Each structure stands twice: as structure tokens, then as C-alpha cells.
Amino acid sequence: MYNLIRVELFKLRKNRSFWTLLIALTVLSLAYPLLYYFDHRSSGKPQFTGAEFLLTFLSSNAYVIKFGVAVLAGFFISNEYATGVMKTIASSGNTRGRLYMAKLTVFAIGAAAISLVFPIVSTVEVTLLSGFGQLPEGSGAIFLLRVLVLTILYTAAYAAIGALFTAILTDSGKTIGFSMIFFLVIDVALAGIGSKLKFVETLYKYSIFKLTGDIGRLNIESGDWPALLIAPILTIAVSAILGILVFRRKDIK
């Protein structure tokens, strides 16, 4: 398993789409705060500090996670079906379950790296421009660590769903298109259906799609932590099992 993960890590490092995403997001993460900086400077408004910017725009990172997972799933995993690489590794002698888990692990690592670009780069830039400021009382290094850990955990959950889509669809274009539509529509769909059906409302309430918005909450009650942690872990487990089952039965050409 270790060797399989090493191979996938090597492929991720050599993947142009991964680096293109990282560079593009880095550029956007640098440009986005500058728009606010110069706008506030010209209008005389107080500048955002690094802490204020992080708290205000952290929720926007959910879109980066969804976009990054969708695109990376298509170009890092699904593309291997078209190039014949998937057929080669599937006949390498390793079980398909191990192959799938190795690819999912590295895919999640790549997606996590993408998900951290915006909050880290933007916050550092704003801090250099106008200082970090102070987080609200009761927050501090623990809050920053919590945001980091939860962002990685929830990104891994989205990655597990994205990997499942690649096993089902195989085509990179279909994977990217379907994943983007699914991730953008699922919140509205579940919320709408949930208003009619109590079961769906409860399902949505404890799903990663709803709980992703709680990553940046300043104060999380002790009673909220089980759902906040179990939801992504359960999503990863269920999606991984389904992905392995689909991948095992897949006729790879």
C-alpha cells in the first residue's frame, strides 16, 4: 500500500492540472484581497486586517473546495481511463481495493492542498498589508488550528464523493461537469426537498453540505462536535466503500 501511495504521489507532483490549479488559485488569492485593499483605501474605509478577512471570507472557500475537487477528479483520476493508465495499473497484480484507496488518499491530499491556498495566501497577504489584528475574544491559535483541520477533513469528504463519481463516469469531461453541477445544486435541492420531507431535512442538517458552513464558526458548542466530526468521516467511509465496489466491477478498457 505504501508503494502504491508513493506512485500516486509521484503522479500528483507531475500532474500539470494540479499545478495549474494551485498557481491559478494562488494568483486569485493574491488579487482578491487587493481589490478590497485599494477600494477601501480610495474610499477611506478602514482596511480589513488578516483576522477579519479570514473570518469574513472563509465561507467562500467552500466554493474553492467544490471546484478544486471537481476539476482535479477529472484530470487526475478520470483522465487515466482515457490514456490507458488505469487499465495498466488495474492489471498490475494489486487488488482493485488497494489501488482505489491509494488513489483516493493521494487525491484527497491534492484536494486538501488546493483548499488551503485561499485562506492561507489571502490571510498572509492581508496581514502584510494591514496587520493581522485580533481574533474575537476566546479565539486564537486553537481557532486557526481548528479551521485548518476541519478544512482538510471536509475536503477529504468531498474528495471521496468526487472519486466515487470518477469510478462511475470514467470520462474526465463528464466527471468534471457532473461533479460541479452536483456540488453546486445539492444544497438547494436538499434544502428544498427538506422543507417538504422531515427525513430529508434532518439528513441535510447533518450532511457535509450543510456543515461545511460551520467550519468558520467562532464558537462551536460541545454538543455540535459529534455531528461536525462524524459527518465527514462517515461520508469518506461510505463513499470509499461504494467507490471500491464500483471499481471492482468496472470493465476497464
Side-chain angles (χ1 to χ4, degrees), residues 95-193:
T95 65
R96 289 200 178 189
R98 288 163 62 89
L99 290 171
Y100 185 88
M101 286 306 301
K103 192 166 291 292
L104 172 57
T105 300
V106 175
F107 173 49
I109 292 173
I114 290 171
S115 72
L116 294 176
V117 171
F118 179 77
I120 291 177
V121 174
S122 295
T123 302
V124 169
E125 182 184 30
V126 176
T127 299
L128 292 175
L129 291 171
S130 51
F132 183 73
Q134 288 185 334
L135 290 167
E137 188 176 350
S139 305
I142 297 298
F143 170 77
L144 298 176
L145 179 62
R146 190 191 79 201
V147 167
L148 176 68
V149 172
L150 288 179
T151 297
I152 293 173
L153 182 59
Y154 275 77
T155 301
Y158 276 98
I161 296 174
L164 172 59
F165 292 158
T166 67
I168 296 172
L169 300 171
T170 68
D171 180 78
S172 59
K174 291 178 181 178
T175 298
I176 294 172
F178 181 82
S179 297
M180 283 188 177
I181 294 173
F182 176 84
F183 289 142
L184 292 175
V185 171
I186 189 65
D187 286 274
V188 177
L190 289 178
I193 299 173

Side-chain angles (χ1 to χ4, degrees), residues 4-118:
L4 290 175
I5 291 176
R6 285 185 60 189
V7 170
E8 293 300 325
L9 283 171
F10 175 80
K11 288 193 289 186
L12 180 66
R13 290 198 302 269
K14 296 295 182 180
N15 189 280
R16 292 182 179 179
S17 299
F18 171 67
W19 288 107
T20 300
L21 269 175
L22 279 181
I23 293 172
L25 285 173
T26 299
V27 172
L28 288 174
S29 298
L30 291 171
Y32 192 54
L34 285 177
L35 295 176
Y36 284 89
Y37 177 79
F38 288 115
D39 180 62
H40 283 215
R41 187 172 181 179
S42 62
S43 62
K45 296 178 182 178
Q47 290 291 348
F48 278 113
T49 63
E52 290 172 339
F53 190 89
L54 178 64
L55 292 172
T56 303
F57 296 98
L58 191 59
S59 59
S60 301
N61 198 44
Y63 294 101
V64 176
I65 294 173
K66 296 173 182 179
F67 174 80
V69 166
V71 174
L72 192 61
F75 288 116
F76 179 61
I77 301 180
S78 291
N79 191 52
E80 292 192 347
Y81 287 97
T83 58
V85 173
M86 194 67 75
K87 182 178 180 180
T88 301
I89 63 175
S91 59
S92 63
N94 291 290
T95 65
R96 289 200 178 189
R98 288 163 62 89
L99 290 171
Y100 185 88
M101 286 306 301
K103 192 166 291 292
L104 172 57
T105 300
V106 175
F107 173 49
I109 292 173
I114 290 171
S115 72
L116 294 176
V117 171
F118 179 77

